[in-house]
Amino acid sequence: MQLQEEFSLESVLSVITGINCTKDFNEVFELFWFMFEDPLINTIGIFELKNTASRHILNIHPELRGVRYDKSMNFETWLNKQKDMFGNSLLISVIGEPIVELEKQPKLI
């Protein structure tokens, strides 16, 4: 069982903004299934768990706290601006788990 996995920025933004930023909503389902370790979460479950999921994502990625959709901007332009700032994907952990980034240690001679 993996405790963290990469997910598209679009699926992560969908959770924190409440706006579907994906071309395929299954990406959002997959994110919820992973975070909550429950492949049976459906649309009602997403609605009920959205706040918990959003808090978790903002806890592990505080750099996303100020992200808001700018309605004066074309959606694709706004999305591309977010990708420029945050990348195409983000590492997400299971609810309650931190992000652990392992760094390769230098070889000792």
Side-chain angles (χ1 to χ4, degrees):
M1 172 178 61
Q2 287 184 295
L3 296 179
Q4 54 191 39
E5 191 174 307
E6 290 278 331
F7 286 89
S8 71
L9 183 64
E10 291 92 331
S11 60
V12 173
L13 291 175
S14 295
V15 175
I16 66 170
T17 65
I19 299 168
N20 181 21
C21 300
T22 66
K23 292 189 181 352
D24 181 356
F25 198 73
N26 280 325
E27 289 182 39
V28 177
F29 279 115
E30 289 171 4
L31 176 55
F32 272 82
W33 295 338
F34 174 79
M35 284 192 299
F36 291 94
E37 301 178 282
D38 183 353
L40 300 178
I41 293 173
N42 57 19
T43 307
I44 293 168
I46 285 178
F47 180 76
E48 292 174 351
L49 297 169
K50 180 196 173 304
N51 290 336
T52 302
S54 184
R55 278 193 305 273
H56 174 69
I57 290 170
L58 295 175
N59 186 42
I60 61 174
H61 290 290
E63 68 274 18
L64 298 175
R65 290 182 196 261
V67 173
R68 303 284 182 275
Y69 173 57
D70 180 352
K71 293 177 184 172
S72 69
M73 197 180 275
N74 169 282
F75 180 76
E76 289 298 322
T77 303
W78 175 82
L79 185 57
N80 287 332
K81 184 178 175 185
Q82 304 313 303
K83 286 182 176 184
D84 288 344
M85 290 190 292
F86 306 114
N88 291 326
S89 65
L90 289 172
L91 196 56
I92 300 295
S93 61
V94 170
I95 294 289
E97 295 293 330
I99 292 293
V100 178
E101 296 201 39
L102 303 175
E103 293 184 26
K104 186 174 180 179
Q105 298 298 314
K107 204 177 209 181
L108 298 174
I109 298 175

